[in-house]
Amino acid sequence: MENRGRYIYGVAASGRAVSLGPIGIGGSEVYTIPCGGFCAIVHSCPAEPYQSADEDTVKQWVKIHQGVLDEAKKELGTIVPMGFDTILQSKEDAVSPDQIVRDWLKEDSERLQSLMEKIRDRDEYGVQIFYTPRVIANTISEENQEIRKIKEEMASKSPGAAYLYKQKVEKAVKAEIERLASSWFKDFYARVKHYCDDIVIEKTKRADGDRVMLVNLSCLVARERVDNLGEELEKINNTEGFSVHFSGPWPPYSFVAKPVIPTKEEVK
């Protein structure tokens, strides 16, 4: 099929026309299309989405997409990343696909410049903070006076009554954890946010084992502050009952609004 499409990996703050080699999806040759002070990082492709019923194949495509952005960053500097399977197409032979990309870069240049300034010298990091209910429950049982009193009373009760008291303790501990979770979140969020230029609160997910995810954040962090953030997260990780997963650096997908890509109907 004729390659009337251009798969766009991202846009760099560079006006250079360069070839990055056959590093794209399916071994495609990746190159840049410059316009003004920007260039789109692309490969030539049919004007149709990348689709496969094989989940592993799609995962491999996404991995290659990420790899191209990593290589382009080394060569070109700051990059506004595009999501997987972003394709511009030319519907008429009179207008080349490369020209469609140039027209888009020109049309969206003001917004792209704003995004470049926002993400320059910054990367995205993932921060997830978990707590282990069993460990937290032990701490609460020792420190909460009301719960300690119930446990003391339970010690002198018959087995049948003790069982009811045990249920009462478990209910009280659960209620206390739920009450404290809000203050834990506010505390950890404030401590992380102090080192970030921007932050997005993501949905929490089910954790493996006996941990519960309390905080799930995407963080835009200046490179000179990453170590400081890491040190703060280490303090949280060393707090009894809590653990931290810190990942990155990643392209700042969470902080780049969806590009103004022309629709198929708009491209002539």
Side-chain angles (χ1 to χ4, degrees):
M1 184 180 292
E2 186 180 6
N3 288 344
R4 298 296 296 171
R6 293 296 180 267
Y7 183 104
I8 304 180
Y9 294 91
V11 177
S14 169
R16 296 169 57 198
V18 299
S19 173
L20 297 176
I23 63 172
I25 296 172
S28 300
E29 185 78 18
V30 177
Y31 64 99
T32 64
I33 301 175
C35 181
F38 304 114
C39 65
I41 302 146
V42 310
H43 76 242
S44 176
C45 66
E48 60 183 30
Y50 279 83
Q51 296 178 331
S52 175
D54 183 9
E55 186 177 341
D56 289 337
T57 296
V58 176
K59 287 181 179 179
Q60 183 64 21
W61 287 342
V62 172
K63 184 177 180 180
I64 293 171
H65 180 103
Q66 176 63 45
V68 170
L69 288 174
D70 291 340
E71 290 302 312
K73 183 179 178 181
K74 296 175 187 176
E75 180 74 23
L76 300 166
T78 302
I79 293 175
V80 174
M82 300 296 159
F84 170 72
D85 214 17
T86 299
I87 296 174
L88 273 179
Q89 69 177 72
S90 174
K91 293 183 67 178
E92 297 183 0
D93 292 341
V95 182
S96 72
D98 282 6
Q99 185 58 47
I100 292 294
V101 175
R102 293 188 192 96
D103 291 344
W104 164 61
L105 290 174
K106 183 177 180 180
E107 178 70 24
D108 212 21
S109 62
E110 185 175 334
R111 192 187 66 86
L112 286 169
Q113 183 60 44
S114 177
L115 289 174
M116 292 290 181
E117 293 171 359
K118 178 179 181 178
I119 67 175
R120 184 172 284 113
D121 298 324
R122 293 164 176 81
D123 296 298
E124 180 171 331
Y125 289 84
V127 174
Q128 290 85 39
I129 303 176
F130 306 83
Y131 70 88
T132 305
R134 174 180 50 79
V135 177
I136 296 295
N138 289 337
T139 302
I140 289 175
S141 295
E142 294 173 1
E143 297 179 353
N144 185 285
Q145 291 184 359
E146 181 181 345
I147 295 173
R148 283 171 55 189
K149 183 178 179 181
I150 297 173
K151 292 181 69 176
E152 290 170 0
E153 293 176 358
M154 181 175 64
S156 62
K157 301 298 180 181
S158 65
Y163 175 75
L164 295 176
Y165 271 76
K166 181 181 178 182
Q167 288 186 314
K168 189 175 181 181
V169 168
E170 291 175 351
K171 184 177 180 180
V173 169
K174 182 179 179 181
E176 183 67 2
I177 289 177
E178 291 175 352
R179 186 187 70 83
L180 290 171
S182 178
S183 61
W184 293 336
F185 179 92
K186 291 177 182 178
D187 175 43
F188 295 150
Y189 177 84
R191 289 163 66 177
V192 171
K193 190 175 187 299
H194 179 73
Y195 300 99
C196 303
D197 289 277
D198 200 357
I199 197 165
V200 174
I201 301 174
E202 308 286 2
K203 291 182 178 180
T204 55
K205 305 172 184 178
R206 290 181 63 89
D208 296 331
D210 60 351
R211 299 187 307 168
V212 174
M213 183 181 288
L214 175 70
V215 175
N216 187 15
L217 305 173
S218 294
C219 306
L220 186 66
V221 187
R223 287 166 196 156
E224 68 270 15
R225 304 195 77 189
V226 173
D227 288 344
N228 300 117
L229 175 58
E231 290 171 1
E232 188 64 40
L233 292 173
E234 186 64 24
K235 294 177 184 176
I236 297 173
N237 192 62
N238 290 332
T239 302
E240 187 175 16
F242 295 93
S243 58
V244 174
H245 182 252
F246 185 33
S247 62
W250 312 111
Y253 289 108
S254 300
F255 305 94
V256 176
K258 187 176 181 180
V260 183
I261 297 290
T263 65
K264 293 180 181 179
E265 292 73 21
E266 293 170 335
V267 177
K268 302 295 184 182

